[in-house]
Amino acid sequence: MRKAIQKKHVKKAILLLGLAMITGCTKETQRLSPSSSPDFSLADEMSEETLIPINPTAAITELEPGLSVVQLAGDQGFAQLLEEGGAASDQAVAQFLTQQLTSGSIGYQFPASGFGCSTLTVNDSQGQTLFGRNFDWQSCRALIVLSMPESGYASISMVNLDFITQSMGALSALLSDDLLARAAYYAPLDGMNEAGLAVSVNMIEDQATIEQARGQTDLTTTTAIRFLLNQAQDVPTALELLETLDLHASMGMMIHFAIADAQGNSVAVEYIDNEMVVTSTPILTNFYVASGPKQGIGSSQSHTRYEILNQRLDQKETLNMADVRDALESVSKHNFNEFESTEWSWVFNLATLEAQVYHRENYQSGYVYSLKTLHERKQP
């Protein structure tokens, strides 16, 4: 592995739920210099927003049109998937889920069009690490998943349900809410766990893809996120666990991960020529940040969003959760006059485990949940 940080290398790891390997990690933050400075002022902030507490149940509950929540106990067969060697494609995940959930055939796959996203990791005035995330997409049905595995970390994550049902056509009507929620467990696009680890996936516009073949356990983009949320307590652990996988990009889309933890570590994980490359950075949009010939490849708008967020960090040493919300609003899709929207925005406090989520660019009214509540519910 090419590394932009120092870390202890572990060649082998047992992929069982409950495993967490810890190693030392030192980093120096890398930030790319913006080519120009966007015209905005931090004084132009939004008024105090309304935050509605989330009270999840085992049934899918609609919070508002296009946004629902569910709480899932157990690991929905994920440990068995790992024990069987994982899955090297979306179709393989679908086949496993079909065997687990139904007697029919689920044609699960990701749509081929790309998505644009932005992430930001900062410290507040108390030294607590905050993680912000925009998911930019066409109008979709989003599902908040509160996960309580029997062995592993509880977590909160978001799933685009259309990723599961779009390719099914009329068959999607046969998928009950219970089966849909269980399938959604395997398809998180971002989330935070009770150890204070946050992870998200961002797309890169590049013809290259990720198809590792090193004889390791196979996982796809979203199943790798589920694995990290279940198992990783911090960034060093997450990197060690990723090294034990052969990653396969869903629908051939090039992606990179943003991973941060409560200790203030924040990295981008990219795959260049199927080799994992780690770069310390507080900001990630949709272009390569790793040094080398790929650096900067990605959409032009993603560079603009990076510059806006970079200037936010330059103008203010610390940001609170409202500041992170405002930063996400400043790079949301309505600023760019495009038909897509920012379907959701997360603000995570990785120290207090508070999660705030805003739906479809309504930054005046959001939802809030504390993973400490989920942790308490796990206790006997």
Side-chain angles (χ1 to χ4, degrees):
M1 183 182 82
R2 281 176 276 177
K3 299 180 286 254
I5 61 174
Q6 296 177 357
K7 71 185 190 72
K8 189 177 179 181
H9 179 62
V10 175
K11 294 182 179 179
K12 300 285 184 179
I14 302 173
L15 297 180
L16 297 175
L17 291 178
L19 172 69
M21 294 183 302
I22 307 171
T23 184
C25 179
T26 59
K27 325 180 209 15
E28 293 183 359
T29 298
Q30 171 180 326
R31 287 167 56 187
L32 304 182
S33 300
S35 59
S36 61
S37 297
D39 183 17
F40 76 96
S41 171
L42 281 172
D44 185 21
E45 305 292 2
M46 293 178 288
S47 60
E48 190 70 21
E49 83 276 27
T50 300
L51 290 173
I52 303 168
I54 297 173
N55 297 302
T57 68
I60 293 179
T61 304
E62 185 177 76
L63 300 174
E64 61 181 70
L67 180 64
S68 301
V69 63
V70 70
Q71 182 169 302
L72 297 175
D75 76 345
Q76 311 304 312
F78 195 75
Q80 181 179 341
L81 175 70
L82 295 177
E83 290 169 0
E84 293 178 0
S89 67
D90 298 322
Q91 290 71 29
V93 175
Q95 183 177 3
F96 175 81
L97 289 173
T98 299
Q99 294 169 351
Q100 291 286 308
L101 307 178
T102 74
S103 59
S105 176
I106 300 178
Y108 169 68
Q109 64 179 18
F110 288 95
S113 56
F115 51 88
C117 308
S118 305
T119 65
L120 174 68
T121 304
V122 297
N123 288 332
D124 66 10
S125 60
Q126 298 178 343
Q128 298 174 338
T129 303
L130 310 179
F131 182 89
R133 145 73 156 186
N134 277 353
F135 177 76
D136 302 331
W137 191 254
Q138 303 169 21
S139 180
C140 66
R141 293 179 301 150
L143 178 66
I144 301 170
V145 176
L146 281 299
S147 167
M148 299 174 62
E150 294 176 359
S151 179
Y153 295 114
S155 66
I156 184 169
S157 60
M158 190 75 83
V159 175
N160 181 345
L161 291 178
D162 292 350
F163 279 4
I164 299 173
T165 61
Q166 275 181 351
S167 65
M168 294 175 59
L171 291 176
S172 63
L174 303 177
L175 196 61
S176 68
D177 279 359
D178 177 62
L179 296 182
L180 184 62
R182 293 177 67 186
Y185 184 86
Y186 289 74
L189 295 171
D190 45 47
M192 173 179 68
N193 69 19
E194 64 180 315
L197 180 105
V199 59
S200 75
V201 60
N202 295 7
M203 193 203 75
I204 305 175
E205 290 186 8
D206 187 14
Q207 292 183 350
T209 188
I210 308 168
E211 288 291 344
Q212 292 187 306
R214 303 173 300 156
Q216 309 277 46
T217 296
D218 295 303
L219 285 182
T220 60
T221 302
T222 60
T223 51
I225 293 176
R226 171 54 61 201
F227 181 52
L228 295 181
L229 290 175
N230 285 2
Q231 294 299 302
Q233 65 186 49
D234 53 25
V235 167
T237 305
L239 297 179
E240 297 291 350
L241 293 175
L242 286 174
E243 282 275 37
T244 69
L245 303 177
D246 277 345
L247 190 72
H248 304 270
S250 294
M251 287 299 294
M253 292 192 301
M254 177 56 70
I255 59 89
H256 49 189
F257 296 116
I259 309 176
D261 62 28
Q263 291 73 43
N265 303 313
S266 176
V267 301
V269 178
E270 298 176 326
Y271 293 83
I272 301 173
D273 297 328
N274 286 320
E275 187 176 349
M276 194 175 102
V277 184
V278 181
T279 306
S280 295
T281 177
I283 303 171
L284 195 65
T285 55
N286 304 102
F287 62 87
Y288 290 97
V289 296
S291 299
K294 289 274 191 178
Q295 187 177 50
I297 292 176
S299 67
S300 59
Q301 187 198 98
S302 69
H303 284 267
T304 301
R305 285 184 274 115
Y306 181 95
E307 291 167 4
I308 293 172
L309 294 175
N310 202 36
Q311 186 172 341
R312 289 262 172 174
L313 295 187
D314 285 342
Q315 291 189 355
K316 208 169 185 180
E317 285 189 13
T318 62
L319 278 70
N320 58 30
M321 293 185 79
D323 293 330
V324 175
R325 174 206 64 191
D326 294 340
L328 295 175
E329 188 281 332
S330 72
V331 293
S332 62
K333 280 294 186 176
H334 79 268
N335 295 286
F336 300 96
N337 298 315
E338 294 188 352
F339 66 90
E340 295 101 341
S341 73
T342 296
E343 284 295 283
W344 65 78
S345 301
W346 282 115
V347 182
F348 296 137
N349 186 317
L350 304 185
T352 67
L353 304 182
E354 180 176 318
Q356 298 175 3
V357 63
Y358 304 88
H359 188 229
R360 292 179 179 168
E361 305 187 40
N362 178 8
Y363 294 97
Q364 297 301 315
S365 179
Y367 300 89
V368 62
Y369 189 84
S370 173
L371 276 178
K372 287 186 176 179
T373 302
L374 202 63
H375 177 77
E376 291 168 358
R377 293 183 184 182
K378 287 177 59 182
Q379 305 309 305

